Amino acid sequence: MAAVAVAGLAPAARRRRSRTGLLLVCLGLCLGFTLAVDRSNFKTCEESSFCKRQRSVRPGNSPYRALLDSLQIGPDALTVHIINDVTKVLLVLELQGLQKNMTRMRIDELEPRRPRYRVPDVLVADPPTARLSVSGRDDNSVELTVAEGPYKIILTARPFRLDLLEDRSLLLSVNARGLLHFEHQRTPRVSFSDKVSVTLGSIWDKIKNLLFRQGSKDPAEGDGAQPEETPGDGGKPEEIQSEKDEPGAWEETFKTHSDSKPYGPTSVGLDFSLPGMEHVYGIPEHADSFRLKVTEGADPYRLYNLDVFQYELHNFMALYGSVPVLLAHSAHRDLGIFWLNAAETWVDISSNTAGKTLFGKMLDYLQGSGETPQTDVRWMSESGIVDVFLMLGPSVSDVFRQYASLTGTQAFPPLFSLGYHQSRWNYRDEADVLEVNQGFDDHNMPCDVIWLDIEHADGKRYFTWDPSRFPHPLNMLDQLASKRRKLVTIVDPHIKVDSGYRVHEELRNLGLYVKTRDGSDYEGWCWPGAAGYPDFTNPQMRAWWANMFSFDNYEGSNSNLHVWNDMNEPSVFNGPEVTMLKDARHYGGWEHRDVHNIYGLYVQMATADGLVKRSGGKERPFVLSRAFFAGSQRYGAVWTGDNTAEWDHLKITIPMCLSLALVGLSFCGADVGGFFKNPEPELLVRWYQMGAYQPFFRAHAHIDTGRREPWLLSSQYRDAIRDALGQRYSLLPFWYTLFYQAHREGIPVMRPLWMLYPQDVTTFSIDDQFLLGDALLVHPVSDSGAHGVQVYLPGQGEVWYEAQSYQKYHGPQTLYLPVTLSSIPVFQRGGTIVPRWMRVRRSSDCMKDDPITLFVALSPQGTAQGELFIDDGHTFNYDTHHSFLLRRFSFSGNTLVSSSADPTGHFETPIWIERIVIMGAGKPAAVVLQTEGSPESRLSFQHDPETSVLILRKPGVNVASDWNIHLR
Ligand SMILES: *[C@@H]1O[C@H](CO)[C@@H](O)[C@H](O)[C@H]1NC(C)=O
């Protein structure tokens, strides 16, 4: 939940914590008019001085030149110096060939005044390198060959440029447009005019040291709590430099906030050209189309984790999370760019074909006059170094595996977390929670988790309970456990400044809060009023936080309590852009500027670690986070933040979650029903239907909205929601298997159609349908009063079976499918096998040993395949003890074979196969089951000639066993 009300007001009003703001918002919500984001609270590129400086660099005439004489090749990297011919400042380029078709390049200052931030903790390991060797050379360039790789790199000296080629075709160029712009650190000084400038470095350093020492007098500052001033910082002033400082370079103000910028301008920018590429995706989080747009004439896409109150759709504004990964797709090739930088980042996209009509492009092609289509991408970050991974595919699955090898895969969620989550801000008290819990049983609806937002804690002191409303949390947890359900409580990273609050006292005494520039504890306004912000970039802080989740420390918690980290951008109501001052100080002396986008990842990391530790390392944690960064997939789930109960917000959930899926974050969802405003019943139904087919399935609502537990609707709507919940629970074995595969291989759960049909141009811009695994195509209804949907069924020679009627359709075609209120258009691809549970019970835990029905959809060739993963559903034993089953089912030559897809796994289970539904089958004379060590037996069956569906009854075989079924 959200930056509320106060966040949308002018900062002065926010500081007074004006009630008017709350009132206005409440009025807005109650009257139902649209309250849009207050854009003036957030910077445009023009208002962000580094973005403006970077963007003012025009293509061509790059001043950078590689000094080929300095080139050195070591076993793991090549280094070469790069000079800026205008400033004469030297940079160093470090180039690495990596295994699996990747290249890494880093650019830093050769002799920085102060080390620049290099993002730690995102890569899972140092990526294995592949040796580079010089295979050609002339006056102005060097050709490099990557051992074991199919590609070559050409390094051009003047102007500096890199080209990556496979065979003779150019895949990607770096600095081809000459937009490398690396702001080296300088001596602070003041300009009196453009011509006269005075070096004030020594004075400046004295002032800084003075301020710093004053800060240290604070008794709260324990030893070692003080962020170290990094060497070189207080150094001697350097020579007067020739370049002039642009406004905003040494100090910047935004609204009433000023950023002191003690290190001056430090931004980095670089361009990448992608010949042959017209379609690019990724760089979440933005509330926009899946396919990225060109940014010419607009602001760039912005990556800066922000709590945006009532975000609007279809713009490039930053939202709660950032993953600086871009994917390019064409019919022939996929590749990815991973820009590892945690500072504020902007991304410009341009294209030489943008604005040309398809007809224009065709004409160009026929006349042979068209250029090759090309997309150019330009990254600009406020600080840090240039650290880029070029992931060269060639297929999109290769890019996924490449990225997963760098940053890890999706954490394997406990089964319950794939069920349905019921949340609102707030369930009032224990009785309310238990009534909602009972409501699901009374109305025969499944639910796994009930959620508590900030009001459950005692005065927003996280890790505590409101003594009057939640006096007996353990009893409440027991009652939920008796229904085999869980509770999630919110634990936010703003800590109430209150000397009677243990969390605050300890963090203050240990010196573990983020500090201001002068070394005192940073304080901001958030839910509890004045709040400190734990410095999660400090490993000691994370260990302390993780320890807070032990059952002793978090009183009233139990093993069926899981956690939600909200507001971890971090959200600061009275801060610039509702977040922390950029000159705040973190562990190691780094500025908040350097670490901003990774702060939220660390919060989720520490929380997930705490939940693992409290179980003695046995249980898989569930933690939801609003902010995220590259690598966040390793710690749990994310959602799209504070959306609104509007049809367009329902639609945008598809591109938003697909964009996250492409960059590794498979466990994505959006608040079902919309957070702000009251959804009309039809919208709520359609949202449940959408959510049932998206990875993280949680209903959530703002405190000022009306209650909307599904049974409060009239019967037609309630029945449609029950049906959607039923479809979700029925497909849990399929979801669980997909998540296991995502965890193992780094391949997304929710997929764009072009992943399976990479050459079908029609699929490249689809925003209203998606695939789950390679088996289900979903086109949820997202229009008010819809009587039908246009579904695109891709694939030459492909067949699709509508999941309810088994009606068969041939691809490719655009199908008009009539719908009713209860329709969720889902198609199973011919050639796949989907496992389901056919009895919907109270929660996933009540169903986990239930028998399985296999839905076999035959391809035109009469074949199909599928997998099923089974384990205990909640521990790490699948990994530590190989306690799991991964079964493979494959159908061909009229025979369905069940075998182990991973013989290293073993697991005893009562689960058996109770039925097999085969779509696209003729009528057999007999059906014979063979299991090892048993005589052949005949199975009874039923065939419907109209639909070509064959149902095999009661094969009765244990899911762990090997067997064959022959249709004779
Ligand atoms: C590397 O690229 C080659 C050629 O494009 C391809 O055959 C190979 O599968 C790729 N390897 C990996 C690990 O992606």
Side-chain angles (χ1 to χ4, degrees):
M1 157 243 14
V4 193
V6 274
L9 295 172
R14 264 189 261 131
R15 271 201 302 276
R16 289 197 305 273
R17 300 214 78 208
S18 153
R19 278 170 195 270
T20 337
L22 282 162
L23 205 72
L24 278 174
V25 167
C26 177
L27 273 174
L29 289 163
C30 306
L31 299 176
F33 57 77
T34 305
L35 274 175
V37 64
D38 182 353
R39 282 178 187 244
S40 73
N41 275 333
F42 302 101
K43 289 183 184 176
T44 59
C45 176
E46 190 75 13
E47 289 166 325
S48 181
S49 80
F50 86 88
C51 186
K52 185 178 177 184
R53 291 195 303 276
Q54 286 280 344
R55 232 187 180 194
S56 70
V57 176
R58 297 281 156 208
N61 303 319
S62 176
Y64 292 95
R65 175 165 56 98
L67 303 174
L68 295 185
D69 290 347
S70 68
L71 190 145
Q72 289 188 322
I73 294 199
D76 289 324
L78 167 158
T79 57
V80 66
H81 297 169
I82 296 175
I83 191 165
N84 179 326
D85 277 327
V86 176
T87 62
K88 305 295 178 207
V89 172
L90 284 170
L91 305 176
V92 58
L93 166 74
E94 188 183 352
L95 193 64
Q96 289 182 310
L98 301 182
Q99 287 175 23
K100 299 191 202 297
N101 300 345
M102 290 185 282
T103 295
R104 182 183 196 177
M105 60 174 290
R106 280 176 281 194
I107 303 176
D108 197 352
E109 295 175 56
L110 184 63
E111 289 174 330
R113 282 173 58 82
R114 173 180 185 263
R116 299 175 68 115
Y117 189 65
R118 294 177 175 227
V119 183
D121 301 311
V122 166
L123 301 181
V124 287
D126 279 339
T129 54
R131 206 181 169 105
L132 291 173
S133 52
V134 174
S135 50
R137 190 164 192 156
D138 64 23
D139 283 354
N140 195 36
S141 66
V142 174
E143 185 195 82
L144 302 160
T145 304
V146 188
E148 303 153 51
Y151 59 100
K152 287 191 192 315
I153 304 173
I154 295 175
L155 165 65
T156 304
R158 185 203 295 264
F160 163 68
R161 166 180 176 139
L162 291 174
D163 294 283
L164 278 72
L165 298 93
E166 186 175 85
D167 302 325
R168 246 170 237 117
S169 74
L170 181 60
L171 299 177
L172 179 149
S173 306
V174 179
N175 202 36
R177 291 195 299 154
L179 297 173
L180 172 61
H181 184 56
F182 199 110
E183 293 181 329
H184 65 278
Q185 299 167 85
R186 302 163 222 189
T187 316
R189 71 214 163 88
V190 172
S191 299
F192 292 113
S193 77
D194 282 355
K195 293 199 179 91
V196 188
S197 48
V198 180
T199 301
L200 287 177
S202 55
I203 302 171
W204 183 259
D205 285 336
K206 277 191 189 115
I207 295 170
K208 235 174 2 179
N209 289 339
L210 195 70
L211 285 170
F212 196 73
R213 252 180 272 123
Q214 279 175 349
S216 306
K217 281 182 196 152
D218 186 336
E221 299 293 327
D223 284 339
Q226 192 62 66
E228 312 125 33
E229 200 72 339
T230 331
D233 177 64
K236 293 188 197 94
E238 283 169 5
E239 74 286 358
I240 294 174
Q241 288 154 349
S242 58
E243 71 264 49
K244 74 174 214 249
D245 291 327
E246 295 87 345
W250 287 94
E251 182 170 27
E252 185 169 350
T253 56
F254 179 65
K255 304 191 107 177
T256 59
H257 304 280
S258 103
D259 173 3
S260 69
K261 295 199 173 178
Y263 307 108
T266 56
S267 73
V268 295
L270 185 57
D271 64 281
F272 300 83
S273 297
L274 306 169
M277 293 293 184
E278 283 186 278
H279 297 83
V280 288
Y281 305 86
I283 52 169
E285 179 177 39
H286 300 98
D288 205 0
S289 57
F290 180 43
R291 184 186 164 193
L292 300 175
K293 296 172 180 150
V294 296
T295 56
E296 280 151 359
D299 259 10
Y301 283 94
R302 189 180 189 202
L303 296 173
Y304 192 55
N305 295 357
L306 291 176
D307 181 359
V308 180
F309 180 66
Q310 294 187 330
Y311 65 81
E312 267 174 36
L313 308 184
H314 304 298
N315 62 62
F316 307 153
M317 287 172 70
L319 284 177
Y320 313 93
S322 302
V323 185
V325 175
L326 177 135
L327 266 83
H329 172 73
S330 76
H332 313 289
R333 176 133 209 147
D334 292 84
L335 51 84
I337 300 173
F338 171 26
W339 175 268
L340 179 50
N341 189 303
E344 177 183 345
T345 295
W346 298 76
V347 186
D348 256 324
I349 294 173
S350 53
S351 152
N352 63 355
T353 54
K356 273 197 188 170
T357 59
L358 191 61
F359 181 71
K361 285 189 228 172
M362 255 168 63
L363 217 64
D364 281 350
Y365 175 78
L366 291 173
Q367 298 168 343
S369 62
E371 317 160 64
T372 323
Q374 173 167 316
T375 299
D376 295 295
V377 183
R378 174 188 201 172
W379 301 77
M380 300 166 278
S381 292
E382 189 179 10
S383 67
I385 63 166
V386 171
D387 188 357
V388 192
F389 295 85
L390 304 170
M391 304 176 289
L392 300 176
S395 74
V396 70
S397 305
D398 293 326
V399 177
F400 292 143
R401 287 195 191 94
Q402 286 154 6
Y403 182 63
S405 76
L406 299 173
T407 65
T409 61
Q410 177 65 55
F412 185 31
L415 175 63
F416 83 82
S417 63
L418 298 177
Y420 170 66
H421 301 254
Q422 179 69 43
S423 182
R424 76 172 280 113
W425 174 25
N426 212 90
Y427 287 117
R428 284 184 307 271
D429 51 26
E430 288 169 3
D432 195 8
V433 168
L434 296 175
E435 268 167 43
V436 171
N437 180 38
Q438 187 59 41
F440 283 97
D441 296 346
D442 293 346
H443 298 90
N444 209 10
M445 292 178 183
C447 174
D448 266 83
V449 195
I450 296 177
W451 289 52
L452 291 178
D453 208 318
I454 51 172
E455 314 298 334
H456 84 277
D458 182 10
K460 281 89 174 177
R461 293 171 187 86
Y462 306 107
F463 302 104
T464 70
W465 303 84
D466 182 298
S468 59
R469 290 180 288 186
F470 293 91
H472 307 297
L474 286 174
N475 174 50
M476 175 176 66
L477 282 161
D478 281 350
Q479 296 206 46
L480 288 171
S482 73
K483 298 281 175 75
R484 297 160 85 167
R485 294 202 175 108
K486 327 281 178 195
L487 186 76
V488 165
T489 55
I490 196 165
V491 180
D492 285 352
H494 47 254
I495 302 299
K496 186 177 176 71
V497 173
D498 167 9
S499 56
Y501 178 30
R502 178 190 149 198
V503 174
H504 168 68
E505 275 303 288
E506 287 197 27
L507 291 181
R508 196 169 65 99
N509 292 336
L510 292 167
L512 290 174
Y513 279 131
V514 176
K515 303 280 189 278
T516 61
R517 235 198 100 204
D518 62 21
S520 58
D521 284 350
Y522 172 84
E523 242 177 53
W525 278 100
C526 209
W527 295 122
Y533 288 77
D535 185 2
F536 284 93
T537 66
N538 183 343
Q540 192 195 343
M541 176 61 232
R542 297 199 295 276
W544 187 93
W545 183 264
N547 196 36
M548 269 310 290
F549 291 94
S550 74
F551 299 125
D552 290 342
N553 281 331
Y554 189 173
E555 284 174 43
S557 73
N558 210 339
S559 59
N560 63 330
L561 177 146
H562 301 265
V563 180
W564 167 23
N565 296 145
D566 198 356
M567 314 294 280
N568 53 339
E569 294 72 27
S571 178
V572 182
F573 293 162
N574 62 340
E577 304 192 84
V578 201
T579 192
M580 195 174 277
L581 290 167
K582 282 178 169 168
D583 58 7
R585 289 303 174 107
H586 288 262
Y587 174 68
W590 300 111
E591 289 191 282
H592 187 67
R593 179 185 339 275
D594 301 312
V595 304
H596 176 85
N597 281 348
I598 198 179
Y599 182 86
L601 174 146
Y602 279 129
V603 177
Q604 194 183 17
M605 175 197 273
T607 305
D609 194 31
L611 297 192
V612 174
K613 286 215 167 80
R614 75 173 184 187
S615 75
K618 260 190 73 128
E619 298 285 328
R620 293 173 356 227
F622 171 76
V623 182
L624 178 74
S625 174
R626 191 170 69 182
F628 49 80
F629 189 63
S632 285
Q633 69 270 16
R634 305 198 297 264
Y635 308 109
V638 297
W639 92 110
T640 62
D642 299 340
N643 60 2
T644 302
E646 289 170 1
W647 289 93
D648 284 345
H649 273 266
L650 171 62
K651 290 185 168 70
I652 208 80
T653 63
I654 297 177
M656 288 182 82
C657 280
L658 279 178
S659 299
L660 286 166
L662 282 193
V663 299
L665 282 80
S666 264
F667 205 1
C668 166
D671 283 350
V672 168
F675 179 71
F676 294 111
K677 306 217 305 183
N678 293 305
E680 59 199 277
E682 184 193 1
L683 174 58
L684 189 54
V685 166
R686 292 303 187 199
W687 215 313
Y688 270 92
Q689 294 170 338
M690 177 78 79
Y693 284 89
Q694 290 179 350
F696 175 59
F697 183 23
R698 180 186 74 153
H700 186 52
H702 189 279
I703 196 164
D704 294 332
T705 62
R707 292 289 286 247
R708 45 167 110 138
E709 288 71 49
W711 51 86
L712 299 175
L713 298 175
S714 61
S715 63
Q716 56 165 334
Y717 300 110
R718 187 170 48 202
D719 292 348
I721 290 178
R722 181 183 300 108
D723 194 49
L725 291 167
Q727 292 191 34
R728 172 61 170 224
Y729 276 77
S730 170
L731 277 169
L732 282 177
F734 175 67
W735 279 107
Y736 196 54
T737 303
L738 286 180
F739 267 94
Y740 177 73
Q741 291 162 343
H743 170 64
R744 284 300 292 260
E745 292 162 42
I747 307 292
V749 168
M750 184 173 168
R751 303 175 184 174
L753 271 63
W754 55 257
M755 212 182 124
L756 203 55
Y757 303 97
Q759 307 199 331
D760 181 350
V761 181
T762 317
T763 63
F764 294 1
S765 307
I766 289 182
D767 269 0
D768 56 1
Q769 52 185 57
F770 55 89
L771 298 169
L772 294 177
D774 64 1
L776 298 184
L777 183 152
V778 191
H779 185 123
V781 181
S782 58
D783 284 303
S784 165
H787 297 291
V789 290
Q790 301 275 354
V791 183
Y792 179 64
L793 298 173
Q796 198 65 51
E798 201 84 277
V799 294
W800 296 90
Y801 300 87
E802 200 276 315
Q804 300 288 314
S805 65
Y806 306 130
Q807 170 90 40
K808 178 167 147 183
Y809 299 94
H810 289 269
Q813 66 163 304
T814 300
L815 172 74
Y816 178 80
L817 191 78
V819 297
T820 65
L821 183 67
S822 61
S823 306
I824 316 178
V826 175
F827 297 81
Q828 185 174 344
R829 188 170 68 87
T832 62
I833 300 179
V834 170
R836 293 180 200 244
W837 282 324
M838 299 314 282
R839 286 169 208 77
V840 174
R841 303 180 195 274
R842 193 181 277 156
S843 72
S844 64
D845 200 47
C846 303
M847 295 164 68
K848 70 178 179 8
D849 291 332
D850 274 359
I852 292 281
T853 294
L854 295 176
F855 286 77
V856 180
L858 294 182
S859 69
Q861 297 72 38
T863 60
Q865 326 251 343
E867 287 189 354
L868 172 62
F869 178 85
I870 291 171
D871 73 341
D872 62 24
H874 59 98
T875 72
F876 286 108
N877 289 347
Y878 76 94
D879 188 32
T880 53
H881 294 78
H882 300 281
S883 300
F884 68 92
L885 294 174
L886 184 63
R887 302 298 303 173
R888 174 169 300 131
F889 306 105
S890 77
F891 191 102
S892 70
N894 278 328
T895 304
L896 176 62
V897 179
S898 163
S899 59
S900 173
D902 186 346
T904 64
H906 301 279
F907 187 67
E908 282 208 19
T909 172
I911 300 177
W912 56 287
I913 308 286
E914 69 171 335
R915 203 189 311 170
I916 296 167
V917 177
I918 305 176
M919 291 165 250
K923 184 176 182 179
V927 177
V928 175
L929 169 73
Q930 288 183 319
T931 48
E932 233 183 83
S934 311
E936 281 190 5
S937 62
R938 290 189 165 233
L939 296 183
S940 71
F941 63 90
Q942 184 190 336
H943 184 261
D944 180 346
E946 195 128 314
T947 57
S948 300
V949 171
L950 174 67
I951 297 177
L952 313 183
R953 299 195 181 287
K954 289 216 165 56
V957 280
N958 186 281
V959 76
S961 63
D962 292 348
W963 46 263
N964 301 324
I965 289 173
H966 303 278
L967 313 185
R968 289 189 177 152

